[in-house]
Short mmCIF file of all heavy atoms in Angstrom, two decimals:
data_model
loop_
_atom_site.label_atom_id
_atom_site.label_comp_id
_atom_site.label_asym_id
_atom_site.label_seq_id
_atom_site.Cartn_x
_atom_site.Cartn_y
_atom_site.Cartn_z
N PRO P 37 51.85 -18.15 74.16
CA PRO P 37 51.33 -19.20 73.32
C PRO P 37 51.06 -20.49 74.01
O PRO P 37 50.27 -21.40 73.49
CB PRO P 37 52.36 -19.34 72.21
CG PRO P 37 53.62 -18.77 72.70
CD PRO P 37 53.24 -17.77 73.82
N ASN P 38 51.70 -20.70 75.18
CA ASN P 38 51.48 -22.01 75.86
C ASN P 38 50.35 -21.90 76.85
O ASN P 38 50.07 -22.94 77.52
CB ASN P 38 52.84 -22.47 76.58
CG ASN P 38 53.89 -22.59 75.59
OD1 ASN P 38 53.74 -23.29 74.53
ND2 ASN P 38 55.08 -22.16 75.83
N PHE P 85 40.82 -18.20 71.02
CA PHE P 85 41.97 -17.47 71.59
C PHE P 85 42.05 -16.02 70.93
O PHE P 85 42.25 -14.99 71.69
CB PHE P 85 43.26 -18.15 71.26
CG PHE P 85 44.35 -17.79 72.15
CD1 PHE P 85 44.32 -18.05 73.53
CD2 PHE P 85 45.47 -17.22 71.62
CE1 PHE P 85 45.32 -17.74 74.30
CE2 PHE P 85 46.53 -16.88 72.40
CZ PHE P 85 46.48 -17.13 73.82
N ASN F 197 38.06 -24.00 67.10
CA ASN F 197 38.78 -23.41 68.20
C ASN F 197 39.69 -24.51 68.79
O ASN F 197 40.82 -24.26 69.14
CB ASN F 197 38.11 -22.78 69.18
CG ASN F 197 37.45 -21.38 68.78
OD1 ASN F 197 38.17 -20.72 68.10
ND2 ASN F 197 36.36 -21.11 69.34
N THR F 198 39.19 -25.75 68.76
CA THR F 198 40.05 -26.85 69.28
C THR F 198 41.22 -27.14 68.36
O THR F 198 42.41 -27.17 68.81
CB THR F 198 39.24 -28.13 69.38
OG1 THR F 198 38.06 -27.85 70.22
CG2 THR F 198 40.08 -29.21 70.00
N ILE F 199 40.90 -27.10 67.06
CA ILE F 199 42.05 -27.31 66.08
C ILE F 199 43.04 -26.23 66.21
O ILE F 199 44.20 -26.44 66.12
CB ILE F 199 41.50 -27.46 64.65
CG1 ILE F 199 40.47 -28.62 64.53
CG2 ILE F 199 42.59 -27.60 63.69
CD1 ILE F 199 40.88 -29.83 65.22
N ARG F 200 42.50 -24.91 66.37
CA ARG F 200 43.38 -23.74 66.42
C ARG F 200 44.24 -23.72 67.61
O ARG F 200 45.26 -23.07 67.66
CB ARG F 200 42.49 -22.52 66.39
CG ARG F 200 42.58 -21.96 64.90
CD ARG F 200 42.37 -20.46 64.95
NE ARG F 200 41.29 -20.21 63.94
CZ ARG F 200 40.29 -19.48 64.23
NH1 ARG F 200 40.06 -19.02 65.40
NH2 ARG F 200 39.43 -19.33 63.26
N THR F 201 43.86 -24.37 68.64
CA THR F 201 44.71 -24.38 69.84
C THR F 201 46.09 -25.10 69.71
O THR F 201 47.04 -24.89 70.36
CB THR F 201 44.11 -25.06 71.08
OG1 THR F 201 43.67 -26.36 70.86
CG2 THR F 201 42.88 -24.34 71.73
N PHE F 202 46.20 -25.93 68.56
CA PHE F 202 47.42 -26.50 68.29
C PHE F 202 48.16 -25.42 67.21
O PHE F 202 47.97 -25.55 66.03
CB PHE F 202 47.26 -27.79 67.51
CG PHE F 202 46.65 -28.88 68.33
CD1 PHE F 202 45.19 -28.97 68.37
CD2 PHE F 202 47.34 -29.68 69.13
CE1 PHE F 202 44.56 -29.88 69.12
CE2 PHE F 202 46.71 -30.65 69.93
CZ PHE F 202 45.33 -30.82 69.86
N GLY F 203 48.86 -24.49 67.92
CA GLY F 203 49.41 -23.48 67.08
C GLY F 203 50.45 -24.02 66.15
O GLY F 203 51.15 -24.92 66.48
N GLY F 204 50.67 -23.34 65.07
CA GLY F 204 51.75 -23.50 64.15
C GLY F 204 51.68 -24.86 63.33
O GLY F 204 52.71 -25.31 62.90
N VAL F 205 50.52 -25.49 63.34
CA VAL F 205 50.47 -26.71 62.44
C VAL F 205 49.55 -26.50 61.31
O VAL F 205 48.58 -25.56 61.45
CB VAL F 205 50.00 -27.86 63.30
CG1 VAL F 205 50.93 -28.19 64.47
CG2 VAL F 205 48.59 -27.77 63.74
N ARG F 206 49.74 -27.18 60.25
CA ARG F 206 48.80 -27.04 59.06
C ARG F 206 47.60 -27.81 59.40
O ARG F 206 47.59 -29.00 59.75
CB ARG F 206 49.51 -27.70 57.86
CG ARG F 206 49.89 -26.72 56.86
CD ARG F 206 50.84 -27.34 55.82
NE ARG F 206 49.92 -28.09 54.87
CZ ARG F 206 49.30 -27.52 53.84
NH1 ARG F 206 49.35 -26.29 53.58
NH2 ARG F 206 48.50 -28.20 53.00
N SER F 207 46.45 -27.20 59.35
CA SER F 207 45.24 -27.74 59.64
C SER F 207 44.11 -27.24 58.76
O SER F 207 44.26 -26.21 58.19
CB SER F 207 44.88 -27.61 61.18
OG SER F 207 44.67 -26.29 61.54
N MET F 221 44.57 -32.82 60.30
CA MET F 221 45.51 -32.45 61.36
C MET F 221 46.83 -33.21 61.08
O MET F 221 46.69 -34.34 60.41
CB MET F 221 45.02 -32.94 62.66
CG MET F 221 43.98 -32.08 63.34
SD MET F 221 44.59 -30.55 64.04
CE MET F 221 45.48 -31.15 65.44
N PRO F 222 47.86 -32.90 61.66
CA PRO F 222 49.11 -33.77 61.65
C PRO F 222 48.72 -35.03 62.49
O PRO F 222 48.01 -35.01 63.54
CB PRO F 222 50.22 -33.01 62.31
CG PRO F 222 49.76 -31.52 62.28
CD PRO F 222 48.29 -31.54 62.18
N LEU F 225 48.97 -35.40 66.36
CA LEU F 225 48.11 -34.54 67.23
C LEU F 225 46.64 -34.90 67.21
O LEU F 225 45.87 -34.35 67.91
CB LEU F 225 48.30 -33.12 66.87
CG LEU F 225 49.69 -32.56 66.90
CD1 LEU F 225 49.91 -31.09 66.39
CD2 LEU F 225 50.20 -32.55 68.44
N ARG F 232 39.77 -33.54 72.85
CA ARG F 232 39.38 -32.07 73.25
C ARG F 232 37.97 -31.85 72.67
O ARG F 232 37.19 -31.07 73.34
CB ARG F 232 40.40 -31.11 72.88
CG ARG F 232 41.62 -31.23 73.73
CD ARG F 232 42.53 -30.04 73.55
NE ARG F 232 43.90 -30.26 73.84
CZ ARG F 232 44.90 -29.42 73.53
NH1 ARG F 232 44.57 -28.27 72.93
NH2 ARG F 232 46.11 -29.71 73.81
#
Side-chain angles (χ1 to χ4, degrees):
Chain P
N38 297 316
F85 203 65
Chain F
N197 285 330
T198 304
I199 300 315
R200 259 204 229 134
T201 54
F202 298 88
V205 301
R206 254 172 74 84
S207 62
M221 286 281 289
L225 298 174
R232 290 191 203 169

